[in-house]
Amino acid sequence: MGKKINTKQIKYFNPLNDYFIRYLFTDKGSSESILLDFINSIMINANMKTFRSVEILTPFNLKKNRNLKETIVDVKCITQNGSVVIIEIQLQGNSRFPERILYYWSVNYSKLLKHGERYDELTPVISINLLNFNLDKTKNIHSCYMLYEMNNKKLLTDHLQIHIIELKKFKKNTLSKDLNYWLKIFTSKNLEASMSEIVKEKPIMEEVQKKYNNFVKSKLMMMEYEKKEAYLYGNQIMLDEERRLGIEEGIKKGKEEGIREGIEQGIEKGIEQEKYSLAKNMKNRNMDINIISELTGLSMEEIKKL
């Protein structure tokens, strides 16, 4: 795995780094029990049936995961009853994110049948999304979406199940016990201290602790972790700057045409500039144009001109 590094040098570790998440949840032979516990914590909080076992479908591979730019989902597994579970961690997003979630769910659902197979061979696909931003202004931390008839609330099918967890809204001890533990881990500013505290009450966290220690002691994996952090940091700086410029322009224009109208126009222009800047940045990193279009809302033609 490479040379060991001194874990005391790590002042802050981002538990939502997708490279670490893949290692934590998809390392075949050591991640199954951890992944099962996390999925079941979501099910318990939503008052749904839990699972007995999972088989990882996207196994972690150090060589294949290096320099990974984009994947449809971070984690994918199948349960003992055939339900497929997909998990995505999203640190940055916009108002179009629900469409993205639905699209990824549909891609995975459509792959369940091969040509000539019957519809009764389809199984549920459960989408779990951990968001490090607020999707809306409600106080809901964990939202679960299914297909219901609007008037009598009759469930059409349990094959579509979408869980959205907005981590920015999380406060201690507001959810079911097990999910509280997991969200404390994912939102921790001091991961080692949080794990040491939780492991006393939740034994599975011993396994999480072991995997964390293995990860931070691997020079190779920490290099990939740092690359991802640098990329995310650069993206955030760019987005913040675009928003600031938009607001400043709005205030300046507001002095001439009315403060409120000017600020609104400036913010709108800033958001529009943000889309183009983000799209250009992603295009320069050779990301798929379809994904760029989906994330920014820009057309293929607009992206090709950048």
Side-chain angles (χ1 to χ4, degrees):
M1 278 235 176
K3 296 180 180 179
K4 293 183 178 180
I5 63 173
N6 185 356
T7 58
K8 291 182 179 179
Q9 295 175 349
I10 302 171
K11 294 181 179 179
Y12 170 72
F13 184 88
N14 178 14
L16 294 174
N17 180 287
D18 57 4
Y19 196 76
F20 173 69
I21 289 292
R22 289 189 185 103
Y23 174 68
L24 177 65
F25 283 145
T26 69
D27 190 21
K28 275 198 169 184
S30 65
S31 292
E32 285 84 355
S33 58
I34 296 172
L35 178 59
L36 178 64
D37 189 89
F38 172 65
I39 292 171
N40 280 342
S41 74
I42 303 285
M43 297 298 108
I44 290 169
N45 195 69
N47 296 314
M48 294 178 171
K49 291 181 180 179
T50 56
F51 303 106
R52 294 193 308 274
S53 64
V54 293
E55 177 188 348
I56 294 167
L57 299 179
T58 52
F60 178 86
N61 181 292
L62 186 57
K63 291 182 180 179
K64 289 182 180 179
N65 276 268
R66 290 184 69 190
N67 303 317
L68 193 60
K69 293 182 188 251
E70 275 298 314
T71 56
I72 288 185
V73 291
D74 293 311
V75 181
K76 185 174 181 179
C77 66
I78 188 168
T79 69
Q80 84 285 345
N81 68 354
S83 294
V84 173
V85 181
I86 55 177
I87 301 173
E88 185 177 7
I89 314 296
Q90 191 68 21
L91 305 184
Q92 300 163 340
N94 54 40
S95 59
R96 302 292 294 273
F97 197 73
E99 286 82 3
R100 169 186 167 126
I101 293 173
L102 190 59
Y103 175 74
Y104 286 170
W105 173 90
S106 67
V107 168
N108 283 275
Y109 191 65
S110 64
K111 288 180 179 178
L112 292 177
L113 280 188
K114 296 178 182 177
H115 182 70
E117 291 183 332
R118 301 189 309 273
Y119 292 121
D120 59 7
E121 295 181 54
L122 288 166
T123 56
V125 171
I126 300 168
S127 170
I128 296 174
N129 303 270
L130 285 176
L131 312 186
N132 202 32
F133 59 92
N134 290 343
L135 194 60
D136 56 42
K137 295 180 180 179
T138 68
K139 294 182 179 180
N140 294 340
I141 302 167
H142 176 195
S143 302
C144 178
Y145 298 90
M146 299 182 75
L147 288 176
Y148 287 94
E149 203 283 325
M150 290 183 65
N151 294 316
N152 59 27
K153 308 303 179 185
K154 180 183 177 183
L155 180 66
L156 178 65
T157 175
D158 65 352
H159 281 205
L160 184 148
Q161 193 179 129
I162 294 174
H163 297 265
I164 296 177
I165 296 174
E166 296 170 72
L167 295 170
K168 293 288 187 183
K169 298 177 181 178
F170 175 65
K171 295 179 181 178
K172 292 181 179 180
N173 304 319
T174 52
L175 302 167
S176 64
K177 190 175 181 180
D178 285 337
L179 188 54
N180 268 323
Y181 286 141
W182 275 107
L183 297 199
K184 283 178 184 177
I185 292 293
F186 289 135
T187 59
S188 175
K189 300 297 182 185
N190 188 334
L191 188 56
E192 290 187 21
S194 296
M195 286 189 295
S196 297
E197 178 187 340
I198 295 172
V199 75
K200 298 172 186 176
E201 299 181 45
K202 191 171 175 63
I204 193 66
M205 286 302 162
E206 258 188 67
E207 299 302 315
V208 175
Q209 212 169 26
K210 287 178 185 176
K211 291 192 74 65
Y212 164 77
N213 289 332
N214 288 339
F215 187 91
V216 298
K217 288 175 183 176
S218 166
K219 185 177 180 180
L220 196 55
M221 287 198 285
M222 284 302 292
M223 281 175 59
E224 297 306 317
Y225 165 89
E226 293 293 350
K227 283 181 189 177
K228 186 64 178 180
E229 289 300 293
Y231 170 75
L232 291 170
Y233 179 74
N235 249 7
Q236 192 58 54
I237 292 295
M238 180 189 68
L239 293 176
D240 290 345
E241 180 65 12
E242 293 294 343
R243 290 190 183 102
R244 184 186 66 79
L245 290 173
I247 292 172
E248 285 182 357
E249 185 172 335
I251 293 173
K252 183 178 179 181
K253 194 167 185 177
K255 290 177 181 179
E256 301 170 357
E257 302 178 12
I259 296 296
R260 180 178 295 179
E261 182 182 352
I263 290 176
E264 288 175 352
Q265 289 178 356
I267 291 173
E268 287 174 5
K269 188 169 183 179
I271 292 171
E272 197 65 21
Q273 289 174 340
E274 174 187 320
K275 288 182 181 179
Y276 283 92
S277 182
L278 182 59
K280 188 174 182 179
N281 188 37
M282 289 190 288
K283 186 181 177 184
N284 289 339
R285 295 177 191 279
N286 298 318
M287 286 177 61
D288 187 274
I289 290 182
N290 290 298
I291 294 174
I292 298 175
S293 177
E294 178 193 337
L295 292 177
T296 62
L298 297 178
S299 67
M300 301 284 193
E301 289 71 25
E302 290 174 307
I303 295 168
K304 288 175 182 177
K305 291 177 182 178
L306 295 175

